[in-house]
Amino acid sequence: SSGINAEWPLRPGHYLGPNRYTRDKYMTDNEVAQWAINLTLFHWGIHGWVVYAMVAIILGFLSFRKGMPMTMKSCFYPLIGDRIYGWIGDLIDVFSILTTLFGVCTSLGLGTMQVNNGLNYLNEDIAVSTTNQVIIIWCITAVATTSVVTGIGVGIRRLSE
């Protein structure tokens, strides 16, 4: 989510500069701007989400049609067969958990910096500092934990309203 909020709005400006697609000196500003939008949609558009869709389709098929566990090792069943139930499957699951953890931590860190800068923009008395960012992380973690502990009927529903 942080990538969508931080990177997506900046990309067209990045592509407005000189690059291999806009080198033509006869292009108008509107044509260069259109190329910038096209390149942004190419990098942040539907094909970027295909990876997630492929994993979801494979997991859904193998879980609901073949009765396999809904874990990442199940995605490798067509490739390595029953070896997913051994140490190789455990290694795949550990690797997927760690990469998910690192991805969540990255998003939380980037989002925290955005929130800290936004609060500083609204009120200059709130400094952009590591201490404030740690406080923001604790607040976000507390809200997320409370939401998960209270369940879908209460916590998640309140967050979505």
Side-chain angles (χ1 to χ4, degrees):
S1 67
S2 295
I4 292 173
N5 292 329
E7 291 292 325
W8 167 239
L10 300 176
R11 283 297 164 183
H14 171 74
Y15 292 126
L16 281 174
N19 60 60
R20 64 180 171 179
Y21 301 105
T22 59
R23 251 186 248 153
D24 186 2
K25 62 182 176 183
Y26 299 108
M27 290 179 77
T28 66
D29 288 342
N30 286 337
E31 290 172 323
V32 172
Q34 186 60 52
W35 267 106
I37 294 295
N38 289 345
L39 288 170
T40 302
L41 290 174
F42 176 72
H43 288 126
W44 289 88
I46 192 164
H47 86 280
W49 296 93
V50 167
V51 177
Y52 302 118
M54 296 250 326
V55 171
I57 289 168
I58 293 169
L59 275 177
F61 176 77
L62 291 173
S63 177
F64 293 108
R65 296 290 177 140
K66 303 294 182 186
M68 301 188 80
M70 194 169 278
T71 59
M72 288 304 291
K73 67 182 172 188
S74 296
C75 292
F76 290 88
Y77 184 78
L79 298 174
I80 61 175
D82 287 333
R83 286 182 284 190
I84 66 166
Y85 297 112
W87 67 271
I88 294 174
D90 294 339
L91 187 68
I92 291 169
D93 282 343
V94 167
F95 183 71
S96 68
I97 289 169
L98 289 175
T99 54
T100 302
L101 174 73
F102 294 146
V104 168
C105 289
T106 301
S107 289
L108 180 60
L110 291 172
T112 299
M113 290 189 299
Q114 287 178 335
V115 169
N116 194 194
N117 282 313
L119 291 172
N120 176 264
Y121 179 79
L122 293 174
N123 184 355
E124 292 181 6
D125 294 335
I126 301 173
V128 177
S129 68
T130 305
T131 304
N132 286 339
Q133 291 170 2
V134 169
I135 292 169
I136 293 167
I137 288 173
W138 276 107
C139 292
I140 291 171
T141 304
V143 169
T145 303
T146 304
S147 174
V148 169
V149 169
T150 55
I152 292 177
V154 178
I156 306 288
R157 186 174 57 101
R158 290 281 178 226
L159 278 180
S160 67
E161 290 177 346

